[in-house]
Structure formats: C-alpha cells, structure tokens
C-alpha cells in the first residue's frame, strides 16, 4: 500500500528496476501470476502454457521457460536499452528492448489473465536493478528461508 517508486528509499525507475515473485503452485493450476508496475508485468501462464512472459517498463513481451513448483521468476531493467529474465536466480535471457514508460505503482499481485487466481505466492520483491550475482544471492537466501519454514522441500 502506498508504493511510490519515485518517492525515495528503495529505487525503482524507468531505467533501473527489478521485480520478482516466488510461485509455489504447480503448473496445472488455472490462471497465472501477474505483477503490474505501470507498463510492466510478469506472468507464468497456466495450464496450457508452461512459459512465463514479462514486460518491465515497456510494452514488448519477452518469453522464457516457466517450469513448475518452486520457481522464482525475476525481471530486471539495468538500463534504457535492455531487459533481462531470471528463473531461480539464473539469467534466462537478455533482450534489446527500449524502455518506454516508467513504473508508477504496484498494482496487482496474484492475478492471471485479467482476473484474480488461486496461485500461491511465497515471496515477492521490487526495487532497483540487480546484478546477476545479486539475483542469485536473493534466490539462495529466499530458498534457504522457505526450506527452513517448511514451505518447500530441499
């Protein structure tokens, strides 16, 4: 509530942004998971698709392999010309895509195809662009926490 990426604190701007979500629900669940940040979204489409797609401060969708339970999906915009996809802390793809619209709000967490879904979310994050090493470290830390809490199996 009250999320304002330009209001100081954690940065998240037009050419310096990242966000992600850890999905617990199997790929057979109907509906996806979308995170909207202005002209940004990330969704694992189900049940007929096993990929996930993302936009991060642009209107062009990029696709990557989605996988199944325990997936941690990340989107990153390190500059005005590039966006990157991550899955479980590993770079999935980099795309030459110009940024067009700055993030303005965190609108929906836990929606699919324009409506809410029953997808289980373990964690989510939003902030400034992260390096490959930072994405990997965030994944490792969240995985350790989720195993410790019994949310996922080692």
């Amino acid at each position: 509530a009250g999320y304002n990426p330009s209001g100081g604190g954690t940065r998240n701007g037009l050419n310096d942004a990242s966000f992600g979500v850890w999905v617990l629900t199997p790929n057979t669940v109907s509906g996806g998971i979308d995170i909207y940040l202005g002209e940004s979204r990330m969704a694992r489409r189900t049940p007929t698709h096993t990929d996930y797609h993302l936009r991060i401060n642009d209107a062009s969708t990029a696709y990557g392999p989605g996988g199944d339970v325990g997936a941690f999906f990340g989107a990153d915009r390190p500059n005005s010309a590039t966006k990157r996809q991550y899955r479980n802390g590993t770079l999935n793809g980099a795309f030459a895509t110009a940024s067009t619209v700055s993030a303005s709000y965190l609108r929906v967490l836990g929606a699919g195809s324009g409506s809410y879904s029953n997808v289980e979310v373990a964690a989510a994050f939003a902030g400034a662009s992260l390096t490959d090493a930072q994405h990997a470290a965030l994944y490792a830390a969240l995985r350790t926490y989720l195993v410790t809490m019994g949310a996922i199996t080692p």
Side-chain angles (χ1 to χ4, degrees):
Y3 175 73
N4 182 352
S6 62
T10 302
R11 297 294 302 153
N12 181 301
L14 178 63
N15 301 315
D16 183 10
S18 66
F19 63 92
V21 63
W22 194 303
V23 179
L24 293 177
T25 310
N27 220 26
T28 56
V29 172
S30 180
I33 178 76
D34 290 353
I35 297 178
Y36 288 91
L37 286 154
E39 193 59 51
S40 300
R41 78 188 216 172
M42 180 170 42
R44 189 200 62 199
R45 302 182 304 164
T46 58
T48 57
H49 301 281
T50 59
D51 63 358
Y52 79 97
H53 63 275
L54 72 92
R55 297 177 184 178
I56 184 161
N57 298 342
D58 65 80
S60 175
T61 302
Y63 296 88
D68 207 348
V69 177
F72 181 53
F73 302 104
D76 195 278
R77 178 163 293 280
N79 56 52
S80 64
T82 307
K83 68 180 175 184
R84 302 181 301 206
Q85 290 179 324
Y86 291 83
R87 183 177 186 278
N88 291 341
T90 302
L91 182 64
N92 223 19
F95 305 89
T97 307
S99 56
T100 56
V101 177
S102 184
S104 59
Y105 53 87
L106 179 59
R107 182 176 163 208
V108 177
L109 176 62
S113 302
S115 61
Y116 291 101
S117 77
N118 61 352
V119 170
E120 295 175 309
V121 174
F125 77 94
S129 175
L130 301 175
T131 65
D132 288 348
Q134 289 170 324
H135 276 281
L138 179 57
Y139 165 74
L142 283 173
R143 186 178 188 288
T144 297
Y145 173 76
L146 293 173
V147 168
T148 301
M149 298 306 295
I152 63 173
T153 57

